Amino acid sequence: MDFNEISFRARYSETDQMGVIYHGNYAQYLEMGRVEWLRNKGISYKSMEENGVMLPVISLQTKYKKSAFYDDLIIVRTILKKTPSVRIEFDFVIYNEAREILAEANVELVFMDMEKRRPIKCPDYILKKLHLEG
C-alpha cells in the first residue's frame, strides 16, 4: 500500500544510561511518521481537529530488532495497512542509515467525534484526499 518516509538524527536527550535510544521514544517516532504521512496527503491533525475529528491511538505494538544510538540517522517508513473505516491502521519500519531494521511497529487509531467522544467512520473528505473513496 501507500507509504512515506521521514528521516532525522537521534538526539542525545533520547538516549538512556547505556547510550542507546530509549525504547519509549519510538512511540514519538511513529507519531512523527504518521503525522507526516497524513500531511503528505494534504491532511493535518490541526485541520481534522478544527473539523471536530480526533484520532486517538487504540493499539501500539513494537518489535525492537537493533539498537539506535545518539546521532544515528533514523528513517521511519509509514505504510497505510488498509483503507480506513472507523479505524485507520499503519505499519512502520524504522531503519538506520545502513538500512538495518531497528524496529517494526503497528499502530491502530480510531476516528472520533470530538464533541460526542464517540467513534465515527472515516470522514469522506479524508477518504477523498487519500484517493480511496469507494
Side-chain angles (χ1 to χ4, degrees):
M1 287 228 61
D2 199 6
F3 75 92
N4 187 52
E5 286 187 349
I6 62 166
S7 62
F8 54 90
R9 292 272 170 199
R11 296 169 291 267
Y12 182 78
S13 63
E14 296 169 335
T15 62
D16 62 16
Q17 268 189 317
M18 296 179 289
V20 300
I21 301 303
Y22 174 67
H23 74 277
N25 288 311
Y26 283 77
Q28 292 178 31
Y29 299 166
L30 302 176
E31 179 182 14
M32 291 165 55
R34 72 177 174 271
V35 165
E36 290 306 316
W37 186 92
L38 287 163
R39 187 184 317 278
N40 190 46
K41 295 292 186 179
I43 304 161
S44 73
Y45 267 78
K46 183 177 180 180
S47 69
M48 280 193 301
E49 290 176 355
E50 287 170 350
N51 285 298
V53 176
M54 61 183 171
L55 205 53
V57 171
I58 59 170
S59 174
L60 185 152
Q61 298 175 356
T62 306
K63 293 180 183 174
Y64 301 97
K65 306 286 188 177
K66 188 174 175 88
S67 295
F69 300 90
Y70 166 66
D71 205 40
D72 281 358
L73 182 69
I74 307 293
I75 302 157
V76 179
R77 176 178 276 217
T78 305
I79 306 135
L80 179 66
K81 189 163 181 178
K82 58 187 172 189
T83 302
S85 58
V86 172
R87 299 173 183 200
I88 187 168
E89 188 173 356
F90 294 98
D91 285 331
F92 299 85
V93 182
I94 300 177
Y95 302 95
N96 61 17
E97 196 165 4
R99 290 303 248 198
E100 298 169 312
I101 296 174
L102 304 175
E104 295 174 324
N106 175 274
V107 176
E108 198 171 349
L109 305 96
V110 66
F111 291 95
M112 189 169 290
D113 181 301
M114 288 179 71
E115 187 177 311
K116 296 177 184 173
R117 302 275 180 178
R118 304 287 302 159
I120 58 172
K121 76 177 193 69
C122 179
D124 289 338
Y125 75 91
I126 292 175
L127 287 174
K128 285 183 177 140
K129 287 191 181 244
L130 299 179
H131 305 290
L132 298 170
E133 60 273 88

